[in-house]
Amino acid sequence: MKKLINHVDTVLAQSLDGFVAAHADVVTQGADHQFVRRRALKPGKVALISGGGSGHEPLHAGFVGHGMLDAACPGQIFTSPTPDQMLAAAEAVDTGAGVLFIVKNYSGDMMNFQMAAEMLDKANATVIVNDDVAVENSTYTTGRRGVAGTLVVERIVGAAAERGDRLDALKALGDAVNKATASMGVALTSCTVPAAGKPTFQISADEMEMGVGIHGEPGRRRVKLTSADDIAAELTGAVLKDLSLARGQEVILLVNGFGGTPLLELYVMVNAVQKVLAGRGIKAVRHLTGSYVTSLEMAGCSVTVTAADPAMLALWDAPVHTAALRWGM
Amino acid sequence: MKKLINHVDTVLAQSLDGFVAAHADVVTQGADHQFVRRRALKPGKVALISGGGSGHEPLHAGFVGHGMLDAACPGQIFTSPTPDQMLAAAEAVDTGAGVLFIVKNYSGDMMNFQMAAEMLDKANATVIVNDDVAVENSTYTTGRRGVAGTLVVERIVGAAAERGDRLDALKALGDAVNKATASMGVALTSCTVPAAGKPTFQISADEMEMGVGIHGEPGRRRVKLTSADDIAAELTGAVLKDLSLARGQEVILLVNGFGGTPLLELYVMVNAVQKVLAGRGIKAVRHLTGSYVTSLEMAGCSVTVTAADPAMLALWDAPVHTAALRWGM
């Protein structure tokens, strides 16, 4: 295992300390690394809280700030945060308008966020993200997994919360964005969880895992590595099949790297995915390309498409200022 | 070789096409992929042009836009662009105030940019970036290499050009920022140039290359992989030794990933570097953390420190809107 760390037991805490130091203009953190929160809260705004296992950086702490999340609870690597963390975060960032939890559909996260929601003595609701069309049920999941589409949900709902939308409206919007969003990914290499010290899965030098999850969970099938065009056709095809879009539909296209794939290759994928979309008459009117929802140093990428109406696009475009996503301010 | 590509001969062109499609609000490109240019030129502004071998994305095309570069000339992977490209870029983006070339100190780039400068029938000057303190002379370089500090030069000089500074002032500022900037990097793995099809260098599972260049060139020494704290101490120590800063000096700290290292680890490095800086009484008042000046999928990172006076900090903070760096707009 080759990593820039000091000890497997201190990776997360030291990474969070570095993150908070680097982005002190935007965030601060709770005691014992329980949560990262927005430095300047907005009174009367519904508080958006997400979280999940670490190892997917910049998700979620990198999306805390104006126009996105109010707090993120980092679990240990690929492990759900605890209800205590979520309750502490809610206490810290609620300003009286209630709390919306945004939760990726993994059994551990679902159980812990649900427990926190039940224990929380404040108005709250939960949006569950399950955008991964690769498989129904998986290693850590009943139903579909929540993956890179979580970013899109957090951004659009975050913008609506910033303008003052109420809890029930945000819950409905979050559900709608999740429904309009589909993703699928491919891995070329495994990743290594520091505490495990060895690769999560074995894969041959000429193979890829089609439909991989963001913890290296198995996807649809293990096949020979093929061309970017073929990979783009399969990923985008699966996503579009799920969404059943009409020709002329406007979409947000997120080509997301898993951590070990350079931008040079991600843009080759953007080019390839664009051709597939154009062939179906789908218009990518907004783009986001980069490693935003990662699996440690795994090589590979995912394709996320959100069918966006003009209201969603306006929210996507609204000012945002987080560590990892920033525009308009 | 496991890469998301179609063919080694089409990687660069297809990646540029994807890049330009994804960032069509900011950039457009010249014929035959000769250059990427700012979509909306600013009449009367000195044109800033950089470029170099590809494989370092988002450098340089990712830094084209308001407050940074007017054009970037991408060479083949790890190969200098040609004088023809630079001349075509200059013709496309000069609006009468002259051209400033920003060139990383590699023999091929130096020769070709110098040839372009001599052939160019417009007022022009050149800033040479040579921030890498690891070694004097190297595989592709006479003198010190230009590495991640190039980003800092492009940002600060880009902001000054945007406010209307003249060519001679920008040349002087660029030289001053370069002098105030020092970098050093470490590699944990090699990278593979697509056309070569095999790793640029061999490295054992327990070794690192201390002082590596951004093409995988040898650095100071090949040693056993050690802790993030030890690595940070050596990189930061070398950088600070070069800069000879007084206690209380304010600096910009760039912890840069080489392409295969995830943010989780880069922030562990930020935390470690911060401790070294604090121990010397140096204040990191601006941070940039991420994979900005890469070496394809190489794992590792570099530390860049710029001793910044208040005028430089104000320019750093000025609005910028490029594909890879954006704030204030």
Side-chain angles (χ1 to χ4, degrees), chain A residues 2-6 14-15 18 21 23 188 204-205 207 227-229 264-265 267 271 274 326-329, chain B residues 2-6 14-15 19 21 23 188 204-205 207 227-229 264-265 267 271 274 326-329:
Chain A
K2 282 186 139 173
K3 290 180 187 290
L4 294 167
I5 63 175
N6 287 304
Q14 293 182 342
S15 186
H23 304 287
L188 308 194
S204 301
E207 285 182 333
S227 68
D229 282 345
L264 182 79
E265 296 175 39
Y267 284 117
N271 186 56
Q274 282 269 69
R326 183 171 180 182
W327 55 70
M329 62 191 299
Chain B
K2 282 186 138 173
K3 291 180 187 288
L4 294 166
I5 63 175
N6 287 304
Q14 292 182 343
S15 186
F19 175 81
H23 304 287
L188 307 193
S204 301
E207 285 181 332
S227 69
D229 282 345
L264 182 79
E265 296 175 39
Y267 284 117
N271 187 55
Q274 283 269 68
R326 183 173 179 181
W327 54 71
M329 61 191 298

Side-chain angles (χ1 to χ4, degrees), chain A residues 12 16 52-57 59 74-79 215 296, chain B residues 264:
Chain A
L12 180 57
L16 285 166
S54 295
H56 306 300
E57 292 69 25
L59 185 83
Q76 289 298 315
I77 292 172
F78 293 175
T79 303
H215 312 89
L296 297 166
Chain B
L264 182 79

